[in-house]
C-alpha cells in the first residue's frame, strides 16, 4: 500500500472546483480525475518524469512515468517506462477481473512498457456525506494507492515443500548473504509486493522485484559496505523480518501465505522485533491428531517407554519453555526421532528446573507429562 508521508504526517490534497460544485457529492468521473491528478503530483514530487496520456480507449493508461534509476521505484541502472491505469474504489480489494487490460498487455509486448493497475482510495476531512464516504467537492483528501501488475505469462510454480515463515525468512537472508537472488526467487509469490517507508512507490510483482534485487546484490558484492543480515521476530504477532545493518538498523518485514512470501516492506527498526537464530529453536505442532491412531492413554501405557528408549536425539537447543501451569523458564530442550526411513515421529523433551525432572511435551492437546 502506498501513501505519501511528509515530516511524519500524511500528505493532503485540496480538490479545486467551482463555487457551485463546492460541497457537492463528487461524481465518479471527478473522483477518478482527482485521484489521477494527485497520484501524478506525488510521483512528480519525487523527481520522476510523469506524462498524462491522451486516452482513446477505456483500458489505456491514464499516465506513464519513466523510472530513471531514482525515485519513485527502485531500479539501479537503466530506464524503465511504466504505464499506469488508475481505478478509484472506496475499499481497495485488488480485484481486476472486471477490467480490460488487453491494451496494456499488447503495449507491453510491443514496446516493453510495464503495465500496472493502481487502485486509489481516499479519506476526506471536509466530508459531510452519508457513511463518511470521501466524495465532497472542494474537500481535502488523503489518498492511498495499491498497484497490481498485469505483466503477462507470470505464474507460481509448484513448490517442492511448503516452508514456514521462519524458513522463508532464512531463505531470504541467505540470498542477501550469498548475493544470489535465485535462492529466494522460487519462494516469492508472482504478485509479491515490495515497498519502503522511504520511497513513494511499490513493486507489485516478483518479476520487477527480482530484476531490482539482482542489481542491488551485484552492487553490494562489489562494495566495501556489505550489510549484516539477521532474522527478527515479533513474539506478540509471530511476524518475522530481516534485520539489515548497514549504517542504521532497518527491518524488512515479511508477509507470507501458503509457503510463499507475499510482500516485504523496508521500515525503521521496531524493538518488538527481537533477533534470533532459527537453528537454536525447536518446533512442535499440536499432537492431539495422534488420537486418530490410538487413544492417548493406550499409547502412554503400552508403547511410550519403548518409543523413548529406541529413539534418537534429533536436535538440541537452549530456549524458552512455558509449561501447562504457565511457569516459564529458559532451559535445555531436545527432540527425539522415532522410526525408520523417511517417515518418523518427532517429540520434544524439556528439562523442568522447578520440578527437577524432564517434561514430555506431547499427546494429547500439547499437554505436558513428567517422565520419572
Amino acid at each position: 500500500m502506498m501513501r505519501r508521508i511528509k515530516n511524519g504526517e500524511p500528505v493532503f490534497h485540496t480538490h479545486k472546483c467551482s463555487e457551485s460544485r463546492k460541497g457537492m457529492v463528487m461524481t465518479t468521473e471527478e473522483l477518478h480525475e482527482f485521484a489521477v491528478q494527485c497520484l501524478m503530483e506525488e510521483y512528480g514530487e519525487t523527481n520522476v518524469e510523469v506524462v498524462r496520456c491522451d486516452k482513446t480507449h477505456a483500458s489505456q493508461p491514464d499516465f506513464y512515468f519513466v523510472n530513471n534509476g531514482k525515485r519513485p521505484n527502485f531500479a539501479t541502472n537503466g530506464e524503465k517506462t511504466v504505464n499506469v491505469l488508475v481505478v478509484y474504489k472506496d475499499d481497495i480489494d485488488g480485484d481486476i477481473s472486471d477490467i480490460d487490460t488487453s491494451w496494456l498487455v499488447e503495449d507491453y509486448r510491443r514496446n516493453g512498457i510495464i503495465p500496472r493497475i493502481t487502485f486509489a482510495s481516499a479519506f476526506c476531512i471536509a466530508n459531510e456525506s452519508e457513511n463518511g464516504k470521501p466524495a465532497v467537492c472542494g474537500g481535502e483528501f488523503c489518498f492511498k494507492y495499491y498497484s497490481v501488475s498485469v505483466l503477462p505469462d507470470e505464474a507460481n510454480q509448484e513448490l517442492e515443500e511448503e516452508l514456514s515463515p521462519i524458513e522463508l525468512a532464512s531463505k531470504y537472508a541467505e540470498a542477501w548473504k550469498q548475493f544470489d537472488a535465485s535462492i529466494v526467487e522460487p519462494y516469492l509469490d508472482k504478485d509479491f509486493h515490495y515497498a519502503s517507508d522511504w520511497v513513494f512507490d511499490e513493486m507489485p510483482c516478483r518479476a520487477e522485484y527480482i530484476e531490482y534485487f539482482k542489481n542491488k546484490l551485484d552492487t553490494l558484492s562489489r562494495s566495501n559496505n556489505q550489510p549484516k543480515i539477521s532474522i527478527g521476530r515479533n513474539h506478540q504477532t509471530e511476524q518475522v523480518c530481516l534485520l539489515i545493518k548497514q549504517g542504521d538498523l532497518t527491518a524488512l518485514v515479511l508477509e507470507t501465505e501458503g509457503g510463499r512470501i507475499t510482500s516485504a516492506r523496508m521500515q525503521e527498526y521496531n524493538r518488538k522485533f527481537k533477533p534470533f537464530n532459527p537453528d537454536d529453536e525447536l518446533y512442535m505442532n499440536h499432537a492431539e491428531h495422534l488420537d486418530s491412531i490410538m487413544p492417548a492413554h493406550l499409547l502412554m501405557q503400552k508403547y511410550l517407554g519403548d518409543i523413548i528408549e529406541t529413539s534418537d536425539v534429533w536436535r538440541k537447543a537452549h530456549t524458552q519453555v512455558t509449561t501447562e501451569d504457565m511457569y516459564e523458564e529458559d532451559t535445555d530442550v531436545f527432540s527425539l526421532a522415532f522410526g525408520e526411513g523417511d517417515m518418523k515421529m518427532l517429540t520434544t523433551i524439556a528439562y523442568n528446573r522447578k520440578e527437577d525432572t524432564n517434561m514430555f511435551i506431547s499427546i494429547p492437546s500439547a499437554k505436558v507429562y513428567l517422565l520419572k
Side-chain angles (χ1 to χ4, degrees), residues 151-203:
L151 282 174
D153 310 320
E154 292 297 307
N156 283 329
Q157 302 301 318
E158 185 175 351
L159 295 171
E160 293 184 3
E161 58 178 330
E162 185 172 314
L163 302 183
S164 69
I166 292 172
E167 290 171 324
L168 289 170
S170 297
K171 290 284 187 183
Y172 212 155
E174 193 64 22
W176 278 81
K177 293 174 182 178
Q178 299 296 326
F179 307 112
D180 184 359
S182 67
I183 294 174
V184 74
E185 184 175 1
Y187 302 97
L188 300 182
D189 189 83
K190 69 180 183 64
D191 298 318
F192 171 81
H193 272 62
Y194 179 77
S196 168
D197 283 354
W198 295 279
V199 179
F200 178 78
D201 193 25
E202 60 183 352
M203 294 184 191

Side-chain angles (χ1 to χ4, degrees), residues 4-5 39-50 65-73 198-201:
R4 186 82 187 284
I5 302 294
L39 182 55
M40 290 180 64
E41 287 178 4
E42 292 183 351
Y43 272 138
E45 288 181 8
T46 57
N47 300 317
V48 172
E49 180 186 352
V50 186
F65 65 80
V66 179
N67 171 11
N68 54 14
K70 300 177 183 178
R71 289 191 168 191
N73 41 3
W198 295 279
V199 179
F200 178 78
D201 193 25

Side-chain angles (χ1 to χ4, degrees), residues 12 16 20 36 58 97 114 142 145 149 163 207 212 255 282 289 291 310 312 328 346 349 372:
F12 279 84
K16 296 179 181 179
S20 61
V36 172
S97 59
I114 297 171
C142 176
Y145 302 93
S149 172
L163 302 183
Y212 152 78
E255 297 288 346
L282 296 174
H289 304 294
D291 284 339
T310 56
D312 297 318
E328 188 175 276
L346 297 177
I349 308 292
K372 303 298 185 184

Side-chain angles (χ1 to χ4, degrees), residues 16 54 60 62 70 139 169 183 194 202 280 340 348 353:
K16 296 179 181 179
D54 183 14
Q60 283 182 249
D62 289 290
K70 300 177 183 178
I183 294 174
Y194 179 77
E202 60 183 352
D280 292 339
E340 301 292 336
T348 307
R353 299 180 185 278

